[in-house]
Amino acid sequence: MNAHSSWLAKSKIAHRGLHDEHAPENTLAAFEKAIQKGYAIELDARQISDDTIVVYHDKSLCRLTGCDGYTAGLEKTALDDLKICNTNHTIPTLQQVLDFVDGRTPLLIEIKNDTMDGKFEKDLLALLGNYKGDFAVQSFNPYSLEFCKKLAPQILRGQLATKFDRTDKHTKQERKKLNKLKMLKISEPHFLAYDVRFLPNKFVTKARKKGTLLLGWTIGSTQDYERAKDLVDNIIFEGYEA
């Protein structure tokens, strides 16, 4: 599978949709705006307590809904009661997003999962198995991608990465492996999505020379784009129209 010949190399990708104060991140409104502008969409997928997969970035509900508690503790019946950023928009399920987008633009789905049991990945891939549009999955968790590789090797998968430091949850040994991209041996990704703040990077350059497609995240301005455009194959952006 050649990610360079896919939409991943050709369609600029709107981070959590093309969002603003009226169309908050990861809502159907933000996704519709991205579609109308011709952008692909990056979104975040989490699994909640009743096994529903929702589109929401944070572990906590506080930042976007003003409510206490954790996303993982939700049930589907509570979603319509949670309003995003003081608007009428609510947390959509992934199924709602798939039905809404309906192949009108490609989707880059970030798997937000720190566990290693494979259940979330299995449920996610079962849901995506009926989807007719273009999509790819990505994750910081190489073991999530390993499950995807085993369960659905035909699906484009990408390793998210950054330069981890002591403030991160990983052990020193884990940080060393992650920063040197040693975990690519586990995930065997079709593409790499890397934090542009830490580019150029010799380990990323090495991966790119081997033919790995490189996405840069998150581009927040035309100045960011000008600095990064020769370092990456495509961008994930927000805060302006690329």
Side-chain angles (χ1 to χ4, degrees):
M1 186 179 299
N2 187 353
H4 286 273
S5 64
S6 77
W7 61 268
L8 280 166
K10 302 170 185 176
S11 302
K12 289 185 172 63
I13 304 167
H15 190 237
R16 306 178 197 170
L18 196 60
H19 56 89
D20 58 27
E21 61 182 329
H22 303 294
E25 65 181 61
N26 280 326
T27 62
L28 299 184
F31 299 154
E32 181 61 29
K33 287 187 66 177
I35 291 168
Q36 292 303 316
K37 292 289 186 177
Y39 298 125
I41 294 167
E42 185 268 355
L43 58 84
D44 302 285
R46 290 185 176 277
Q47 193 161 41
I48 57 177
S49 64
D50 61 5
D51 291 338
T52 301
I53 298 175
V54 299
V55 176
Y56 191 81
H57 177 270
D58 296 3
K59 288 184 177 180
S60 169
L61 296 170
C62 183
R63 178 177 69 92
L64 293 173
T65 72
C67 297
D68 293 330
Y70 292 95
T71 310
L74 289 175
E75 293 186 354
K76 184 178 179 180
T77 53
L79 297 179
D80 287 343
D81 296 327
L82 295 171
K83 306 301 182 183
I84 306 296
C85 297
N86 296 314
T87 68
N88 289 324
H89 301 295
T90 57
I91 300 172
T93 67
L94 180 58
Q95 185 63 66
Q96 286 175 320
V97 173
L98 296 178
D99 292 342
F100 179 78
V101 175
D102 193 27
R104 290 184 290 160
T105 200
L107 299 174
L108 178 55
I109 301 167
E110 181 178 345
I111 302 171
K112 307 292 283 188
N113 184 22
D114 296 329
T115 67
M116 294 176 62
D117 62 11
K119 182 187 183 310
F120 179 20
E121 290 77 13
K122 183 178 179 180
D123 292 347
L124 175 68
L125 294 173
L127 195 63
L128 292 171
N130 296 318
Y131 188 63
K132 304 303 181 185
D134 290 326
F135 69 91
V137 297
Q138 63 176 3
S139 182
F140 280 101
N141 183 348
Y143 299 103
S144 279
L145 298 175
E146 185 181 37
F147 282 120
C148 292
K149 176 182 65 177
K150 291 177 180 178
L151 294 169
Q154 77 280 8
I155 291 175
L156 285 167
R157 61 185 179 274
Q159 181 69 60
L160 275 160
T162 185
K163 184 178 179 181
F164 295 98
D165 60 27
R166 294 179 182 177
T167 63
D168 187 74
K169 63 184 178 180
H170 299 290
T171 66
K172 181 178 180 180
Q173 189 63 27
E174 287 172 336
R175 285 198 305 271
K176 184 177 179 179
K177 288 183 179 180
L178 289 167
N179 287 340
K180 292 185 176 182
L181 300 182
K182 296 288 188 181
M183 305 300 266
L184 298 188
K185 295 178 181 178
I186 296 172
S187 55
E188 295 185 352
H190 300 105
F191 64 95
L192 180 64
Y194 204 87
D195 188 339
V196 295
R197 294 176 300 168
F198 304 112
L199 293 177
N201 173 305
K202 65 180 181 180
F203 303 108
V204 175
T205 299
K206 182 179 179 181
R208 198 179 183 200
K209 285 181 177 178
K210 289 182 177 180
T212 302
L213 179 79
L214 178 61
L215 305 181
W217 60 270
T218 302
I219 302 293
S221 66
T222 54
Q223 291 80 11
D224 282 351
Y225 176 70
E226 288 300 318
R227 189 185 71 81
K229 66 180 182 181
D230 294 328
L231 301 173
V232 300
D233 297 301
N234 196 9
I235 64 168
I236 302 170
F237 73 94
E238 72 176 351
Y240 81 114
E241 291 191 21

